[in-house]
């Protein structure tokens, strides 16, 4: 071992022997605790969590464990259905080492000892590894969970922590974050992106709040948790070189699927370098500006068209929408944006030749409905009108 001393003693051999004596005592204690802990199987320690308070308003660690079993099970059914029982087993054992002698003396070994005791107890290796991995990442730059069970359990634990703390008003401030909620939100994002999990964040947050039951005191907390995570995600995307208006344009239409958000932002960022970018943004703005604050029907009635430009725009919209559908379903957003640009001259001609705000209510509503259809198609990718040129 290495010891650092900031004092130049006369006899460094004395310093060396002193450090050896202290370390030997600590290792002797650890050996004793380890051997004592092995006398009680990890599974039998779960009951002991009933006497350990997780947080005064959120109950005991045993209650948290019950929530983790249910939440991680639901996530596993979506993300790794072949490992549902393994994930739930890891969740059940995940906090048991907190009541061992070893972790009581060396708290930084939480999860580490849980893994070792699980292996000693004959648990499957992935269950044991998930007990350690559910704490990951523990700090900036730390490794992420590698096993499917560890990744899912880590998501469940962090989402339960976030939902629980926000539900009882334990929100981080600019100077204080005692429950490390920012780090846990970033961990949620990193795991989802690293594993490519296609889940809707708002849905799993709802699951977490449902499992809190009557402990969820603040109904507005669900949206706060989502906004808190999205806020961290915006910062991460900005640090990667994406522009704020690109991120905001996407988040205006998609906030649940973080993998999908990144794909859309990247498509906008790449499309920005093309000669067509400005043309698409201007077309989008013309449509958005006239619709803002207006109410209109969704259905377009072609029999109400009075001008050839209406028919041309509707026909072009139908053609583009049909060709765009497979691109959007395949998440090829860049190709969809290139397709949308083809509508620009038709949109311009429509605005030049057709009076949208016609006095006749039926005609006016039908023209707004036509523009609304185009606007909804654009928003299949992002709120393109928010982009700057």
């Amino acid at each position: 071992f290495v010891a650092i001393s900031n004092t130049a003693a006369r006899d460094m051999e004395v310093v060396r022997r002193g450090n050896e004596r202290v370390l030997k005592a600590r290792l002797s204690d650890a050996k004793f605790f380890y051997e004592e802990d092995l006398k009680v199987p990890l599974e039998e320690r779960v009951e002991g969590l009933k006497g350990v308070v997780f947080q005064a308003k959120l109950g005991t660690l045993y209650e948290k464990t019950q929530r983790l079993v249910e939440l991680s099970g639901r996530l596993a059914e979506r993300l790794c259905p072949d490992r549902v029982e393994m994930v739930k087993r890891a969740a059940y054992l995940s906090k048991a080492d907190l009541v061992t002698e070893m972790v009581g003396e060396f708290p930084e070994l939480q999860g580490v000892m849980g893994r070792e005791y699980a292996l000693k107890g004959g648990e499957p290796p992935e269950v044991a590894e998930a007990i350690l991995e559910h704490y990951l990442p523990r700090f900036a730059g730390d490794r992420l969970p590698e096993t499917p069970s560890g990744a899912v359990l880590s998501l469940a634990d962090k989402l339960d922590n976030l939902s629980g703390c926000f539900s009882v008003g334990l929100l981080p401030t600019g100077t204080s974050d005692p429950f490390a909620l920012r780090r846990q939100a970033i961990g949620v994002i990193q795991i989802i992106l690293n594993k490519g999990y296609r889940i809707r964040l708002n849905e799993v947050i709802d699951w977490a709040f449902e499992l809190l039951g009557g402990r969820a005191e603040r109904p507005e907390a669900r949206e706060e948790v989502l906004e808190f995570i999205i806020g961290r995600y915006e910062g991460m995307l900005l640090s990667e070189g994406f522009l704020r208006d690109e991120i905001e344009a996407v988040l205006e239409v998609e906030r649940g699927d973080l993998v999908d958000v990144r794909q859309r932002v990247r498509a906008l960022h790449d499309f920005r370098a093309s000669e067509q970018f400005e043309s698409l943004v201007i077309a989008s703005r013309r449509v958005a500006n006239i619709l803002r604050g207006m109410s209109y029907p969704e259905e377009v009635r072609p029999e109400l068209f009075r001008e050839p430009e209406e028919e041309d725009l509707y026909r072009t919209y139908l053609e583009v929408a049909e060709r765009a559908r497979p691109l959007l379903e395949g998440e090829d957003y860049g190709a969809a944006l290139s397709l949308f640009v083809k509508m620009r001259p038709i949109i311009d001609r429509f605005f030049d030749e057709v009076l949208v705000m016609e006095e006749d209510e039926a005609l006016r509503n039908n023209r707004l409905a036509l523009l609304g259809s185009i606007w909804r198609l654009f928003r299949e990718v992002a709120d393109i009108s928010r982009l700057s040129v």
Side-chain angles (χ1 to χ4, degrees):
F1 70 95
V2 174
I4 307 298
S5 173
N6 62 358
T7 302
R10 291 182 180 178
D11 186 353
M12 294 305 292
E13 182 66 18
V14 175
V15 176
R16 182 181 66 80
R17 288 198 303 270
N19 275 279
E20 287 179 345
R21 186 169 60 253
V22 171
L23 181 60
K24 183 178 180 181
R26 292 293 281 165
L27 291 174
S28 178
D29 288 345
K31 182 173 183 291
F32 172 77
F33 294 141
Y34 176 71
E35 291 171 348
E36 288 297 304
D37 285 343
L38 288 178
K39 294 177 182 179
V40 181
L42 194 61
E43 182 176 16
E44 292 183 16
R45 294 187 180 276
V46 176
E47 284 291 313
L49 297 174
K50 292 180 177 179
V52 182
V53 175
F54 168 56
Q55 200 282 327
K57 294 183 177 181
L58 296 173
T60 65
L61 278 174
Y62 183 82
E63 291 171 293
K64 178 178 175 60
T65 297
Q66 299 300 104
R67 294 196 300 271
L68 284 184
V69 170
E70 179 63 27
L71 182 56
S72 63
R74 292 190 192 182
L75 285 168
E77 288 171 1
R78 291 281 184 89
L79 304 173
C80 51
D82 58 325
R83 286 176 164 84
V84 172
E85 293 307 315
M86 193 174 294
V87 169
K88 293 173 74 172
R89 178 64 175 173
Y92 182 71
L93 298 174
S94 63
K95 305 299 181 183
D97 69 342
L98 297 179
V99 290
T100 61
E101 297 289 342
M102 183 70 95
V103 174
E105 184 67 20
F106 304 98
E108 65 273 17
L109 292 181
Q110 64 179 14
V112 175
M113 298 315 302
R115 176 182 61 183
E116 298 308 313
Y117 294 148
L119 289 171
K120 288 290 186 181
E123 298 292 338
E126 186 167 330
V127 168
E129 193 65 26
I131 294 173
L132 168 64
E133 289 185 333
H134 92 279
Y135 287 110
L136 303 179
R138 295 159 295 191
F139 48 82
D142 193 16
R143 69 186 182 96
L144 298 174
E146 296 177 9
T147 66
S149 298
V152 169
L153 182 52
S154 181
L155 272 182
D157 186 48
K158 290 168 176 55
L159 287 168
D160 178 78
N161 288 340
L162 286 162
S163 300
C165 288
F166 271 77
S167 71
V168 297
L170 299 175
L171 281 61
T173 66
T175 57
S176 174
D177 186 9
F179 294 92
L181 298 182
R182 291 186 180 88
R183 175 173 57 79
Q184 296 193 57
I186 291 172
V188 167
I189 298 165
Q190 290 177 323
I191 292 168
I192 289 174
L193 296 180
N194 178 256
K195 293 296 186 182
Y197 287 151
R198 305 309 299 268
I199 53 175
R200 299 205 61 77
L201 199 54
N202 50 322
E203 182 180 11
V204 296
I205 290 171
D206 283 345
W207 290 348
F209 272 89
E210 175 191 330
L211 294 172
L212 284 169
R215 297 188 184 279
E217 299 177 353
R218 303 170 62 248
E220 67 273 23
R222 296 186 188 218
E223 186 62 26
E224 289 175 351
V225 172
L226 178 60
E227 289 298 322
F228 185 71
I229 297 174
I230 292 297
R232 312 282 83 71
Y233 193 28
E234 286 186 71
M236 291 172 65
L237 291 171
L238 285 169
S239 69
E240 292 176 27
F242 298 114
L243 302 182
R244 185 172 297 280
D245 64 338
E246 297 163 355
I247 299 167
E248 291 176 349
V250 171
L251 292 177
E252 185 68 23
V253 302
E254 174 58 65
R255 305 170 72 80
D257 186 337
L258 299 187
V259 174
D260 192 34
V261 167
R262 180 188 286 276
Q263 292 179 172
R264 293 171 189 246
V265 171
R266 184 175 297 281
L268 286 183
H269 187 76
D270 292 345
F271 193 73
R272 195 171 212 134
S274 76
E275 296 178 354
Q276 301 172 311
F277 175 77
E278 184 173 342
S279 184
L280 177 61
V281 174
I282 292 173
S284 177
R285 283 184 184 173
R286 294 196 75 175
V287 174
N289 286 342
I290 201 165
L291 294 175
R292 191 166 288 117
M294 302 294 294
S295 59
Y296 50 88
E298 288 194 7
E299 183 183 359
V300 179
R301 298 170 58 188
E303 70 273 12
L304 293 179
F305 291 156
R306 294 292 181 267
E307 306 294 340
E309 289 79 11
E310 293 178 277
E311 296 177 358
D312 288 347
L313 182 57
Y314 186 55
R315 182 171 58 253
T316 303
Y317 156 73
L318 292 176
E319 292 172 357
V320 169
E322 183 177 2
R323 292 172 59 190
R325 187 53 48 199
L327 297 175
L328 294 169
E329 290 175 354
E331 298 178 351
D332 188 350
Y333 298 117
L337 290 170
S338 296
L339 190 58
F340 293 166
V341 174
K342 300 182 184 301
M343 302 182 68
R344 166 73 193 278
I346 316 299
I347 291 172
D348 286 346
R349 193 157 58 246
F350 174 84
F351 279 111
D352 291 341
E353 302 296 333
V354 176
L355 177 62
V356 177
M357 303 309 290
E358 168 70 53
E359 288 187 11
D360 185 303
E361 184 178 1
L363 294 181
R364 180 174 68 248
N365 284 339
N366 199 51
R367 290 167 182 172
L368 290 171
L370 173 56
L371 293 173
S373 298
I374 295 169
W375 180 232
R376 287 192 296 275
L377 178 61
F378 285 170
R379 285 174 63 89
E380 290 284 322
V381 177
D383 184 349
I384 301 169
S385 69
R386 296 178 70 99
L387 297 169
S388 60
V389 295

